[in-house]
Amino acid sequence: MTMTLLAARDLRKTYRLGRVDVPVLRGATLSVSRGEWVAVLGASGSGKSTLLHLMGGLDRPDRKGGGSITYDGRPLDRIRSNDLDRYRAADVGFVFQFYHLLPEFTVLENVLAAAMILHGRFGFMRKRAALEGRARELLAAFGLPHRLGHRPAELSGGERQRVAIARALMNQPALLLADEPTGNLDRATGETIIAEVARLRERTGQTIVMVTHDPEVAARADRIVHLRDGRVGE
Amino acid sequence: MYQALLTRRYLTSKVMPLLAAVAVMLCVAMELIVWSVMGGFGDMLKNSGRALIGDVSITYQPRGFAHYDDLIARLEADPLVEAATPAIETAGFITLPQNRGQPIYLRGVDGPGYARVTNYAQSLWWKPLAQPMTKDTRREDPRLRPDYAARLREYEEAGLSLTLRRPEDPEPHAAVVLGIEIGHFNSRQPEGWYDPYLFLPGQDVMVYVIPTDSRNRPMDARGLNFPVANQVRSGLFEIDNSQVLIRLDALQRMLNMDEARRIAPGGSAGSFVRRVNPETGREEFVQPQEFVTDPARVTSVLVRGRGADQVPRLTAVKARTEAIYREFAAAHGDVPAAEEVEFETWRDKHATLIGAVEKETVLVMFIFGVISVTSIFLVLAIFWSMVSEKTRDVGILRAMGAGRAGVAWLWLRYGLIIGLVGAVLGGVAAYSVVWNINPIHDWLGRAFGIVVWDPRVYYFSEIPSVVVWWKAAIVLGGGALASIIGALIPAVKAANMDPVRSLRFE
């Protein structure tokens, strides 16, 4: 087992807006070790979220000269679409600024949805009791045991983000990718959420890459990298 | 798994998918109602056509063939054949009371035998009725009147035997039974019963036929007076406006087709005998002569098969009838060969009419099918809008690891459920309408004066309908399929959404 879990080398990503090519990442390189908490600091529009999406397999680098990303030795930029789906389901947990919970599902169902996607219909049915137990445990750990049957619309912002974190952790992913997890919360709630993430990290040694523009949030990480003009610098 | 859960939630939390289900429901119901009514109409025509000719007819026109009793005995000995009866079919003319007259299609039959082969007994109109017709709520049908019952029973018996006994004349007379529409002496009421302007049973009519000689050349027209025994209603206007039934023996005599004695050359061919001419006293050679009997002839034998309602069985009865006729022709040298004789099923006889109705059904179904295609576009429009609205959900699912196929299946499955719900509801709605189509029609007539199927025009007192389960299954399956097709493009759109853009969707 190597110490490096995720390695992004010379990542380039260009978006096309109308007739104009807008380069967002211009050769970003970042390496994340197992159990490490890396905070990516950068101004708005610096490409933080794009970097996270590429690392999480939600997007791919440019076809030509787009660089490479390897996860546990596997080249994410070259694997098939199905394998990338599997990677997102099994190895990565996403936490977004705007929570991104499914509004029609209850809190418990939102957390279980991740397991449903990973295990498929029959796998989920077989392990249903165990999976449901884990989802309840996670939600209880985040202080939401009384909210299992509620819809996201009935929760506060902090509660929604806790549900999103529980969902991200449901499949016990090796890598947690958080995109401005406190960006939509008031300071106090944001601090609570970060404290909970820190406790989780202490307890489980979870690898975390957290994108933020808040230096105080970034200060909780093991390492801070800065993203400027599409490049990473320490 | 997540697809099933999301489908259930989308179904119960949104109004739009219910609109899609309603669109499918309406199209399914419309198709099913039209197919059931047209199918019922077609069945009614077929049954009416079958009612007066049986299943298969053996016909040799115009001379007819002899020894038909033997043919009937051979036919009735076969397990495929239930009954057979002789008949003569010919053109004629009738003069009616009030100096009315018209060309007719004359059918000479043996009443009881004819009733065994056809639904003749049920088709006789003037007979006592215990219960009124469905729409005759005011019980105005004269056949219901108790004071007419005895007389009507006499006419019913007279109709069955085609023999009428007049009160003033103890001799039974060969009689005729006219189609109910002949001469327009009966006025058909909206409730389906007939109000006789002139009650024809008991009246005399003149029937004319043109017999032919042994070379099929027409001879002078021959007319005879017959009392009307009853009237018959088959359900086919063309038949009820032209067909006259007459007792077989009477028509045989009119057409010179009855048993007859004639003088024929006797002895062996070319043999002559010496004989003294009593007038001249001279001896001369003459060919010997003898009396021979020509057997009675008929132009047709009508056959009723066992369980010949279905086309394959009907075809089997026809084939068997043909085979039996071949054996019969081989046994009798003086009957036409099978190749000269026409073997027709009731479907063959009414092929033009049945074909027209079947083509109309196909045409109407095609038109309504095209209209139903709109349900595909309705589902497409509704799903397109829903997929757009749920773009972020697609992004969330993709971020959690859902593949393109899984996302596409979510929407296809959703379309399938909408289609199934719509199809089942449409089936239930159609079944309810078809089951109650006559009460609904009556209510429309009472409440708004809308009478679409007027029995005076459409010649049936009740709207016919029949729900055939395989047809219902096709329509229901088509409804569900239309919904899936409608959901296909939105599903592909959802599957191809860029997850990053989807997550940023506002």
Side-chain angles (χ1 to χ4, degrees):
Chain A
M1 191 196 287
T2 58
M3 281 303 290
T4 302
L5 182 66
L6 187 82
R9 280 187 184 75
D10 197 23
L11 281 185
R12 290 169 194 276
K13 183 68 183 176
T14 305
Y15 288 110
R16 192 169 182 83
L17 291 176
R19 292 181 184 177
V20 183
D21 284 340
V22 181
V24 179
L25 295 179
R26 302 163 189 253
T29 298
L30 177 65
S31 191
V32 181
S33 300
R34 266 176 220 284
E36 191 181 15
W37 179 351
V38 178
V40 182
L41 264 176
S44 182
S46 60
K48 304 186 298 288
S49 296
T50 303
L51 179 64
L52 210 66
H53 292 153
L54 293 180
M55 289 194 294
L58 264 181
D59 209 347
R60 290 184 191 258
D62 289 343
R63 279 170 191 262
K64 286 185 180 173
S68 67
I69 315 176
T70 54
Y71 171 84
D72 205 13
R74 273 190 292 159
L76 297 184
D77 52 301
R78 294 204 299 272
I79 61 174
R80 290 182 312 155
S81 180
N82 286 354
D83 295 331
L84 207 56
D85 295 337
R86 180 80 190 167
Y87 164 70
R88 286 199 306 273
D91 301 311
V92 180
F94 273 106
V95 178
F96 299 99
Q97 180 181 357
F98 297 102
Y99 331 120
H100 287 335
L101 299 175
L102 292 166
E104 271 82 12
F105 278 5
T106 62
V107 164
L108 183 63
E109 286 164 349
N110 261 292
V111 176
L112 282 173
M116 290 176 191
I117 290 171
L118 176 65
H119 297 288
R121 168 180 282 267
F122 298 111
F124 180 80
M125 295 302 282
R126 248 193 338 267
K127 302 172 190 164
R128 182 169 195 146
L131 293 169
E132 214 171 297
R134 173 165 170 76
R136 285 173 190 276
E137 268 176 32
L138 275 169
L139 288 165
F142 284 102
L144 297 166
H146 58 297
R147 294 292 215 177
L148 301 186
H150 287 78
R151 298 280 172 91
E154 298 164 333
L155 306 180
S156 68
E159 286 174 321
R160 289 184 206 184
Q161 197 58 296
R162 286 193 197 99
V163 175
I165 296 169
R167 180 183 66 186
L169 297 171
M170 178 64 203
N171 293 334
Q172 295 173 286
L175 180 62
L176 182 69
L177 299 174
D179 187 0
E180 302 270 15
T182 59
N184 206 35
L185 303 171
D186 59 72
R187 179 159 286 277
T189 311
E191 280 174 6
T192 314
I193 294 288
I194 293 300
E196 283 174 5
V197 171
R199 270 201 302 279
L200 167 85
R201 163 81 192 323
E202 276 172 27
R203 208 169 56 246
T204 61
Q206 177 75 49
T207 309
I208 302 170
V209 177
M210 183 180 285
V211 158
T212 181
H213 62 269
D214 185 342
E216 283 185 34
V217 170
R220 306 289 292 264
D222 301 332
R223 181 159 59 105
I224 299 173
V225 295
H226 293 268
L227 196 61
R228 288 192 196 93
D229 299 327
R231 291 189 183 86
V232 176
E234 295 286 336
Chain B
M1 183 69 196
Y2 68 93
Q3 293 102 332
L5 199 57
L6 259 184
T7 301
R8 205 160 66 225
R9 291 294 149 78
Y10 284 172
L11 266 178
T12 50
S13 63
K14 301 278 171 195
V15 176
M16 276 203 291
L18 297 180
L19 295 178
V22 168
V24 174
M25 181 190 88
L26 290 175
C27 289
V28 164
M30 182 174 67
E31 285 264 352
L32 210 48
I33 291 168
V34 168
W35 208 354
S36 299
V37 171
M38 289 300 287
F41 183 54
D43 281 1
M44 192 205 68
L45 280 182
K46 290 170 193 171
N47 290 335
S48 304
R50 190 185 175 205
L52 290 183
I53 65 163
D55 294 319
V56 177
S57 66
I58 306 166
T59 308
Y60 182 66
Q61 288 278 25
R63 279 292 294 164
F65 52 88
H67 313 298
Y68 52 85
D69 286 338
D70 179 36
L71 177 60
I72 288 167
R74 287 169 186 261
L75 285 164
E76 290 187 340
D78 192 275
L80 272 181
V81 175
E82 195 172 315
T85 191
I88 294 176
E89 292 162 3
T90 187
F93 193 86
I94 192 167
T95 55
L96 299 153
Q98 301 181 342
N99 297 324
R100 299 185 191 188
Q102 67 177 76
I104 52 167
Y105 180 77
L106 199 59
R107 176 171 279 159
V109 293
D110 162 52
Y114 187 55
R116 284 196 305 130
V117 170
T118 65
N119 296 338
Y120 175 52
Q122 291 79 27
S123 306
L124 281 172
W125 188 258
W126 299 115
K127 58 191 172 192
L129 275 193
Q131 293 298 324
M133 297 174 80
T134 316
K135 288 188 176 179
D136 185 18
T137 51
R138 288 180 293 181
R139 300 178 70 94
E140 290 177 308
D141 192 335
R143 297 175 299 169
L144 291 163
R145 290 180 56 165
D147 50 329
Y148 289 175
R151 199 68 198 271
L152 287 170
R153 198 163 291 115
E154 284 176 22
Y155 286 126
E156 184 182 13
E157 285 166 13
L160 279 171
S161 62
L162 286 155
T163 304
L164 189 71
R165 202 183 294 271
R166 295 178 187 282
E168 69 279 5
D169 183 1
E171 275 295 306
H173 289 270
V176 291
V177 169
L178 310 185
I180 192 80
E181 299 287 343
I182 286 179
H184 307 292
F185 289 104
N186 299 297
S187 168
R188 189 163 161 77
Q189 302 302 302
E191 296 82 11
W193 54 275
Y194 282 94
D195 185 12
Y197 157 67
L198 175 68
F199 189 64
L200 280 179
Q203 304 277 341
D204 278 352
V205 294
M206 194 80 158
V207 174
Y208 296 88
V209 294
I210 299 176
T212 58
D213 65 13
S214 58
R215 293 181 183 176
N216 290 333
R217 289 174 302 193
M219 298 160 66
D220 291 339
R222 185 174 294 170
L224 275 179
N225 219 31
F226 290 97
V228 176
N230 207 320
Q231 289 187 280
V232 71
R233 184 176 182 276
S234 70
L236 285 181
F237 184 82
E238 288 76 7
I239 290 177
D240 293 343
N241 189 40
S242 64
Q243 180 169 276
V244 172
L245 297 167
I246 185 169
R247 211 169 76 186
L248 181 68
D249 58 335
L251 188 58
Q252 280 177 318
R253 279 193 296 277
M254 287 179 81
L255 291 170
N256 297 330
M257 293 174 80
D258 55 334
E259 186 179 282
R261 281 165 65 82
R262 65 180 168 84
I263 298 168
S268 56
S271 66
F272 286 84
V273 293
R274 190 178 295 171
R275 198 189 68 167
V276 176
N277 187 327
E279 289 179 7
T280 61
R282 293 172 61 180
E283 199 176 62
E284 50 191 39
F285 286 99
V286 292
Q287 196 173 9
Q289 289 182 328
E290 61 186 19
F291 284 103
V292 291
T293 303
D294 277 344
R297 286 172 285 122
V298 292
T299 60
S300 305
V301 166
L302 308 178
V303 181
R304 185 184 191 95
R306 281 189 209 281
D309 310 46
Q310 303 301 317
V311 172
R313 185 81 170 184
L314 183 64
T315 310
V317 172
K318 182 185 175 185
R320 189 71 200 118
T321 301
E322 204 168 331
I324 291 170
Y325 185 88
R326 286 181 192 281
E327 292 166 13
F328 163 73
H332 298 276
D334 56 346
V335 297
E339 289 70 26
E340 298 174 72
V341 175
E342 205 165 7
F343 299 90
E344 285 181 304
T345 65
W346 55 270
R347 286 186 73 92
D348 300 333
K349 281 232 177 202
H350 297 290
T352 310
L353 192 58
I354 291 171
V357 172
E358 286 176 347
K359 281 189 179 68
E360 275 173 30
T361 304
V362 170
L363 183 68
V364 170
M365 289 304 294
F366 176 75
I367 291 168
F368 278 89
V370 169
I371 294 169
S372 296
V373 169
T374 53
S375 74
I376 294 177
F377 290 95
L378 272 170
V379 171
L380 194 154
I382 289 169
F383 271 57
W384 187 273
S385 162
M386 284 192 66
V387 165
S388 300
E389 189 193 326
K390 291 291 174 191
T391 296
R392 190 180 285 180
D393 284 12
V394 172
I396 296 168
L397 292 169
R398 295 298 309 276
M400 283 194 283
R404 290 175 197 276
V407 170
W409 174 235
L410 165 66
W411 294 98
L412 283 178
R413 180 197 166 89
Y414 195 24
L416 173 67
I417 301 288
I418 296 273
L420 286 176
V421 168
V424 169
L425 289 177
V428 170
Y431 189 73
S432 307
V433 170
V434 169
W435 194 252
N436 297 296
I437 196 159
N438 285 294
I440 291 170
H441 185 243
D442 292 347
W443 176 78
L444 283 172
R446 280 196 309 274
F448 306 106
I450 301 168
V451 181
V452 182
W453 287 283
D454 188 335
R456 287 170 296 191
V457 178
Y458 283 94
Y459 208 61
F460 43 85
S461 53
E462 292 193 343
I463 302 163
S465 61
V466 57
V467 177
V468 181
W469 293 111
W470 66 263
K471 290 180 181 175
I474 287 176
V475 173
L476 264 62
L481 187 66
S483 185
I484 294 173
I485 293 170
L488 192 60
I489 293 174
V492 171
K493 178 194 174 192
N496 287 330
M497 279 177 176
D498 176 25
V500 173
R501 287 180 190 219
S502 304
L503 286 169
R504 288 177 178 157
F505 180 78
E506 295 290 335

